[in-house]
Amino acid sequence: MKNFALIWIFCWLLSPHWAHAQRDLEGLVYDVVTKQRLGEVYVKNLRTQEAIYNNSRGEFKIQVLPGDRLQFRKLGYNADTVEINNQVALIINLKETIKQIQTVHIYGRRNPDDVRDELKRDYKKAYDIAAPKELLSVGMGGAGLSIDALYNMVSKEAKNARRFTQFLDKLHRENIVDYYFTPELVRNLLGLEGEQLKVFMRLFRPTYDFIASNDHYQLVKYIKSKYEIFKLHPNLRPLRELPDIKLDVNKEK
């Protein structure tokens, strides 16, 4: 009976079901010219519609099956699509494009990438502490767990550093939206001024995902389509932000 079970398991492992089981595929994304790693790259499995962003070190991990197609997009770069066969890992090289929005519609604003690089220099220690460390270390005595990496996972300093860098990453994405979705652009397209312009900007501010995955033409099309809604509801106003209410749940009565 035991031998029969072992034979059944062996056959199942060799079956097409196992051979085509979904797996995690890891990879890196580089700038094809500078050879620098690229972060904030949008990675999408076109079959499953699963989408992720890679990390600041250019690394990504996503589930795939043979035959799947992965799409890679980053603001300011040509998109690339790769078909998955039996690759153990992927190396993706993206080519920078001409930033049409920047050359035509940007008026004296600092490039968000320059701002982010400056923040990384100013807060280098926080980024160094927040960076993931290898859990396994290899030395003269063989492989073992890295005490420094374990400490970095659980220490209060490391947790605070990760929260801080995550906040800066979120701020960077908001800066990118502001960089392209500008009052000057909306004013030139729609002729709005004053309070109407402010209301439109708040009501129809696009998301970072939209800005990162679309070009200037799509942004203009988006703004004009939202203006049709705005004209139908001229008195529409953004909801007021609710105040933060802090409750002391540990307070004893």
Side-chain angles (χ1 to χ4, degrees):
M1 185 67 182
K2 182 178 180 181
N3 290 336
F4 176 79
L6 290 174
I7 293 172
W8 184 88
I9 293 173
F10 180 75
C11 292
W12 183 80
L13 290 174
L14 295 179
S15 68
H17 170 81
W18 174 261
H20 295 89
Q22 191 160 271
R23 62 186 176 92
D24 285 336
L25 179 65
E26 299 182 1
L28 290 168
V29 185
Y30 290 89
D31 183 299
V32 69
V33 176
T34 67
K35 305 305 180 184
Q36 298 292 317
R37 295 190 185 192
L38 294 177
E40 295 186 346
V41 176
Y42 184 74
V43 184
K44 184 176 183 180
N45 185 322
L46 298 180
R47 176 183 64 86
T48 65
Q49 299 300 302
E50 178 188 3
I52 60 169
Y53 284 95
N54 71 341
N55 62 28
S56 59
R57 298 196 301 181
E59 302 164 339
F60 67 88
K61 180 191 290 186
I62 191 168
Q63 290 196 325
V64 297
L65 283 174
D68 283 356
R69 296 167 67 239
L70 296 183
Q71 185 180 73
F72 298 85
R73 302 179 70 96
K74 178 174 172 64
L75 192 65
Y77 285 80
N78 290 325
D80 192 13
T81 302
V82 175
E83 184 170 337
I84 304 305
N85 296 309
N86 297 314
Q87 299 98 320
V88 177
L90 284 182
I91 300 296
I92 304 299
N93 293 287
L94 297 183
K95 184 178 180 181
E96 193 170 11
T97 58
I98 298 174
K99 300 177 181 178
Q100 296 180 352
I101 303 177
Q102 178 181 338
T103 56
V104 177
H105 293 281
I106 301 304
Y107 300 84
R109 286 181 171 81
R110 290 188 64 192
N111 189 301
D113 289 341
D114 294 338
V115 176
R116 180 190 57 188
D117 292 342
E118 183 177 313
L119 288 172
K120 283 188 173 182
R121 289 192 297 269
D122 291 343
Y123 298 101
K124 183 177 183 301
K125 181 180 178 181
Y127 276 97
D128 288 344
I129 294 173
K133 306 294 190 301
E134 294 292 341
L135 285 177
L136 288 177
S137 61
V138 180
M140 296 296 292
L145 288 175
S146 169
I147 300 301
D148 290 339
L150 290 173
Y151 175 78
N152 189 68
M153 290 178 61
V154 300
S155 70
K156 183 177 180 180
E157 183 182 24
K159 290 178 180 178
N160 288 338
R162 282 192 289 271
R163 281 195 290 266
F164 179 66
T165 55
Q166 287 168 2
F167 166 77
L168 292 182
D169 289 343
K170 181 180 179 181
L171 181 64
H172 173 62
R173 295 186 179 191
E174 293 302 318
N175 285 342
I176 288 176
V177 176
D178 291 336
Y179 189 63
Y180 293 104
F181 183 65
T182 65
E184 293 86 357
L185 174 61
V186 175
R187 184 186 299 115
N188 290 339
L189 288 173
L190 308 180
L192 296 177
E193 296 284 354
E195 185 64 23
Q196 275 196 324
L197 177 60
K198 292 179 181 179
V199 170
F200 183 90
M201 296 286 293
R202 289 183 61 190
L203 279 174
F204 302 110
R205 175 184 174 85
T207 64
Y208 170 79
D209 288 347
F210 177 88
I211 293 294
S213 58
N214 289 279
D215 57 15
H216 173 63
Y217 172 78
Q218 293 296 332
L219 177 59
V220 170
K221 186 177 178 181
Y222 166 85
I223 292 171
K224 289 183 176 180
S225 68
K226 295 304 180 184
Y227 184 53
E228 295 302 314
I229 300 174
F230 189 70
K231 288 190 296 184
L232 292 175
H233 306 279
N235 296 319
L236 192 63
R237 291 295 182 271
L239 293 175
R240 292 180 58 186
E241 294 184 3
L242 296 175
D244 291 333
I245 301 176
K246 296 182 179 180
L247 299 177
D248 186 0
V249 296
N250 296 320
K251 186 176 180 181
E252 296 181 358
K253 293 183 178 181

